Amino acid sequence: INECTRGTHNCPGFSTCLNTPGSFICQCGNGLRLVNGTCVDIDECNSGLHNCHAFAACSNTFGGFTCQCRTGYAGNGTFCRDIDECAANTDNCHVKATCTNTIGSYTCQCITGYEGNGTHCVDINECIRRTDNCHANALCTNTDGSFLCTCLTGYAGNGVICADIHECTTNTHNCHINAQCSNTQGSFRCTCNPGFTGPGTNCVDINECNLNIDDCHQFATCSNTLGSFECRCNVGYEGDGVNCRDIHCLSLDFLLKTKCMGLTCYCRISTQTRAIRVRPNLVILFSIMLSLLITFTYVNHAMKDARSRVLIPLYLNILEYFTSYKSVSDASCHHINSNHALLVFPLDVDECVNNLDNCAVGIATCTNTQGSYICACNTGYAGNGRQCVDINECTAGTHNCHPTLATCTNTPGSFTCQCIAGFNGDGVTCNDIGECTSNPCHVNAFCTNTVGGFTCTCNTGYSGNGLATCNDINECNDDPCHQFATCTNTPGSYTCTCNTGFAANGTHCQDINECLNPNTCHNSATCTNTVGSFTCQCNSGYSGDGFSCVDINECLTNPCDPNAACGNTPGSFTCTCNSGYAGNGLTCLNINECVTLSPCSPDATCQDTPGSFRCTCNVGFTGNGLTCS
């Protein structure tokens, strides 16, 4: 009987009935197995019966399985190749970062001049951090991803090397034509020539005559010239202009000339005055007496002996007066009118010591000369010595203060130099203080020394003025991490940590297939990977939470045919029809041994019984039915 075609079989769903001699068998479909009369799924993924690639995830399905390449790989699941996210532009690297492909993933690294985690890159300010290579006399300018070095004014070079420009020799200065150019480090100084005044870039002539700072004689005329002045003796006087003498009484023979006849001459010596009145009838006698005096070998002594006194008793006092001088030629005659003249003899008196000078008190120096004195204004003053005015060295440009880093302050007769804020020194030389050595900035800021000052800049990850405040920036507010990562703010920075079930650097996270670990679930459970997690489910025939599974003794529920024996197995059971029955155990049909086996003696009659048979010897025969005689 073909139970399969007659429909008298009891095969479960998802199975095929196969007829056998005197019975039939049930065969479950692909990916299924017969368990307790039911076709249950075979987990090919957990049992290792799949053909998925090593870089693919196996997902069990009822009666089969699927293979899917993991994130970072492409293919049909049975073959997976690495995806080059960098070449495919599927990465999330920053525009200022370099993408490097790795097996199943990629890495992002900020390019030179930028810093960050690769998915977020910010420009590094090399100038503020002083990581540039600009020269000490160059200005560093930060650019996007780099920096620029430019030599300061007064220097030339590529910014990395800067040399001082000698403006004086290269004629790039702006000094006046009447000024001298002096090169300085990084600059130059213009100083007006003597006889000119001004800042050096503009010089105007000093009129020494109007300012009474010339040294012309009192009987001379001062004429201003460009950058100087000239002294010319007045009419009736002779000399170089600084010294002038009356041309009427220049030699010893002035008494013999008619121009002095009938004149009254007298001598004036400083504050003392001695005079002689010369009459015409005495001129010849007076001249003879003077001639005799010259003939004496020792003039200074000869005038004192008795013989000389006898010769000129009437002029004794006059002659004694004459003998106290070096010579009459040192005298000078100054006209008064047609009948009188001044005859001045040089009897020297130290006007400076005796306070007889008229030099400017306290600001001029008196120097005694033969028969007179000279007044000269002290350093820092200008004038003729009798009148002196303070020279403002600061406005005149004659000071030696630092040209750019110091302030010049005029003082009576001098000046002072003081370095400007941010520099120290004597004012002539000023050096940058270097404030950063005293750590003036906030603890979370770095200090950058500048020319004459400093700047404070908060470190990366902080915001504020750098000097008093630098507050931590909570970068997590900008969601810099991957969608499957957790951002944790830290002082001055942040960290990205992939969530449980994901792995990578936090800026890129991919799902972990926990099911690849055979110890994730119980060995009698099926592991199913999910996004960021997994599930464990005890296999059919077991009970538990998937992490712990115990065998179910199906025999306790009598799943087999009443004419079959139930045998419990790990995760399942078996049903075996009892002797005399045939079937799959779930269904057992009595076997008619009389038909199929003919076990009785030919002289006996076979009678089928449930699960067995009986043999009875025919009449006339005796025996057990199996054997009859």
Side-chain angles (χ1 to χ4, degrees), residues 271-288:
T271 58
Q272 305 176 39
T273 300
R274 299 180 183 180
I276 58 173
R277 184 173 297 273
V278 182
R279 299 184 182 276
N281 55 358
L282 297 178
V283 169
I284 297 176
L285 177 61
F286 185 64
S287 299
I288 294 173

Side-chain angles (χ1 to χ4, degrees), residues 178-447:
N178 292 315
Q180 295 294 323
C181 177
S182 301
N183 188 63
T184 61
Q185 194 67 25
S187 186
F188 59 94
R189 181 184 294 119
C190 299
T191 306
C192 291
N193 295 333
F196 293 87
T197 183
T201 55
N202 182 33
C203 297
V204 295
D205 176 55
I206 297 174
N207 193 324
E208 296 85 354
C209 302
N210 290 343
L211 296 177
N212 291 323
I213 57 175
D214 61 275
D215 60 346
C216 297
H217 193 270
Q218 59 177 327
F219 297 115
T221 300
C222 176
S223 299
N224 187 60
T225 61
L226 186 62
S228 185
F229 60 94
E230 292 181 352
C231 299
R232 292 183 180 180
C233 292
N234 297 335
V235 176
Y237 294 88
E238 184 176 86
D240 57 6
V242 178
N243 293 296
C244 295
R245 299 173 61 179
D246 192 302
I247 61 176
H248 297 88
C249 306
L250 297 180
S251 62
L252 185 63
D253 63 353
F254 72 95
L255 294 177
L256 300 177
K257 295 180 180 180
T258 58
K259 64 182 179 181
C260 284
M261 294 297 182
L263 300 181
T264 298
C265 299
Y266 69 95
C267 107
R268 182 182 63 194
I269 305 160
S270 296
T271 58
Q272 305 176 39
T273 300
R274 299 180 183 180
I276 58 173
R277 184 173 297 273
V278 182
R279 299 184 182 276
N281 55 358
L282 297 178
V283 169
I284 297 176
L285 177 61
F286 185 64
S287 299
I288 294 173
M289 293 172 59
L290 292 178
S291 298
L292 292 176
L293 293 176
I294 295 173
T295 60
F296 292 142
T297 303
Y298 302 100
V299 175
N300 290 334
H301 297 286
M303 295 300 294
K304 295 181 180 181
D305 60 26
R307 290 174 297 172
S308 297
R309 295 178 186 274
V310 172
L311 291 174
I312 47 176
L314 298 177
Y315 298 99
L316 179 60
N317 293 330
I318 296 176
L319 294 179
E320 288 180 344
Y321 173 78
F322 285 162
T323 58
S324 64
Y325 299 97
K326 295 179 180 179
S327 69
V328 178
S329 64
D330 290 327
S332 60
C333 182
H334 301 284
H335 282 278
I336 297 178
N337 51 43
S338 59
N339 295 316
H340 297 84
L342 295 179
L343 182 62
V344 179
F345 294 88
L347 175 63
D348 182 56
V349 174
D350 193 331
E351 297 86 351
C352 301
V353 174
N354 295 313
N355 292 323
L356 301 176
D357 62 274
N358 63 344
C359 299
V361 179
I363 55 176
T365 301
C366 177
T367 302
N368 186 63
T369 61
Q370 185 67 33
S372 184
Y373 60 92
I374 297 174
C375 296
C377 293
N378 295 339
T379 302
Y381 293 89
N384 57 10
R386 297 178 296 278
Q387 293 182 347
C388 297
V389 293
D390 176 54
I391 298 174
N392 191 328
E393 297 85 354
C394 301
T395 58
T398 57
H399 62 86
N400 64 339
C401 299
H402 195 280
T404 58
L405 302 179
T407 300
C408 177
T409 303
N410 188 61
T411 60
S414 186
F415 59 93
T416 60
C417 301
Q418 184 175 5
C419 295
I420 61 177
F423 296 85
N424 57 16
D426 57 6
V428 178
T429 301
C430 295
N431 300 312
D432 183 60
I433 293 177
E435 296 85 351
C436 291
T437 56
S438 61
N439 298 320
C441 299
H442 191 273
V443 65
N444 290 318
F446 56 90
C447 179

